[in-house]
Amino acid sequence: MSRWKGLPASLDHRVRHLVVQLRRLKDHSGLSLAALAARTSYSKSSWERYLNGKKLPPRAAVEALARVCEADVPRLLALHEVAEQAWSADRPVPPAEKAEQHGTAEKDGTAEKPVPATAAPPVSGRSMPFGPLVLGALAVLVAAGAVLLVARLWEDANGIGRGAGAAMTAGGTAAAPAFTHRPGEDFGCPVQRRAGALYAGHSRTDTAVLGSGASGWDVVEAQCLLRHQGYDPGGVDGIVGGRTVRAVKRLQARFKLPTDGIVGPDTWKVLRR
């Protein structure tokens, strides 16, 4: 696993969230920066800047990394769009960087010049009455819809429907980067009740079997729900350790389940109440 430098303290939290997700993807892939450069259109030095928060990666770079690592491309692109808005609000974007952000590849530290769009020829004849007003209204509606979609995806990526680990697909299964744990890391627990059941935004499973030593987003979900129910798992780190096992046993004893310390279907039913 890479030994990452700390991100700049001035980095906006939305940009920081995107960079952390990209770092996790790169770590899980096992690719070095040089190997990543060889498999994308971006140089090793460019990836070093992107993954250390020195420069916002362009949309095409985020998409390339997601495809190389077989991750959820739409979710990462939604995170990038939100991060790009935050980045642009914090500082003016130079023309060369703006061209790169719109997808120009950077292989050796230089960006190709974007091809300017050709101006449309003027339309002859009379224009339709109220035509500009209708087109303007349609443009406003389309823009508003895009903003709502990005906002919903951003909420899903930050704990509403799916926690910091991943977004949820329509079928309720996780489309996420592989679970990565760092010592001392404690995941958030935005517990909500939906359709009569409790969810912490990390997993929707009610059948996963989690014993001592298990790890992953299902474990994070179980630890969040244990804490919400009043049984301290010791920390929400995504790993079933001794304190998590003891918390599960106390919950099982209270609801007269076999006190084996293993989270299974019956224990999930109690946790989701």
Side-chain angles (χ1 to χ4, degrees), residues 12 14-15 17-19 22 56-60 62-63 73-89 101-102 142-154 157:
D12 186 278
R14 292 160 290 186
V15 180
H17 183 74
L18 173 66
V19 174
L22 297 182
L56 182 70
R59 175 187 175 90
V62 173
E63 183 174 1
V73 176
R75 186 183 74 87
L76 285 175
L77 291 182
L79 293 182
H80 175 269
E81 185 166 349
V82 174
E84 185 178 18
Q85 293 173 0
W87 185 275
S88 300
Q101 293 303 322
H102 285 81
V142 171
V147 170
L148 290 174
L149 175 60
V150 171
R152 178 60 182 271
L153 290 172
W154 174 250

Side-chain angles (χ1 to χ4, degrees), residues 207-251:
T207 58
V209 178
L210 310 174
S212 180
S215 64
W217 294 115
D218 292 338
V219 177
V220 176
E221 181 80 3
Q223 289 174 327
C224 283
L225 296 178
L226 282 167
R227 177 179 288 179
H228 183 77
Q229 300 275 18
Y231 301 90
D232 183 12
V236 181
D237 57 3
I239 300 175
V240 178
R243 293 186 66 175
T244 299
V245 170
R246 289 192 290 273
V248 173
K249 287 183 177 181
R250 291 196 297 272
L251 175 81

Side-chain angles (χ1 to χ4, degrees), residues 19-97:
V19 174
V20 169
Q21 295 304 309
L22 297 182
R23 284 182 171 187
R24 287 180 176 175
L25 281 177
K26 187 265 181 189
D27 286 344
H28 178 62
S29 71
L31 295 173
S32 64
L33 292 178
L36 191 58
R39 298 183 64 177
T40 65
S41 299
Y42 298 84
S43 65
K44 177 181 176 181
S45 59
S46 295
W47 282 116
E48 189 276 334
R49 292 195 296 272
Y50 301 155
L51 296 175
N52 283 294
K54 300 176 182 177
K55 188 175 183 181
L56 182 70
R59 175 187 175 90
V62 173
E63 183 174 1
L65 178 61
R67 295 193 185 283
V68 166
C69 299
E70 299 182 353
D72 187 346
V73 176
R75 186 183 74 87
L76 285 175
L77 291 182
L79 293 182
H80 175 269
E81 185 166 349
V82 174
E84 185 178 18
Q85 293 173 0
W87 185 275
S88 300
D90 287 342
R91 71 202 76 189
V93 182
E97 183 174 335

Side-chain angles (χ1 to χ4, degrees), residues 190-217:
V191 177
Q192 297 182 2
R193 184 171 295 278
R194 292 188 173 185
L198 292 175
Y199 294 95
H202 299 285
S203 171
R204 290 185 178 275
T205 184
D206 56 7
T207 58
V209 178
L210 310 174
S212 180
S215 64
W217 294 115

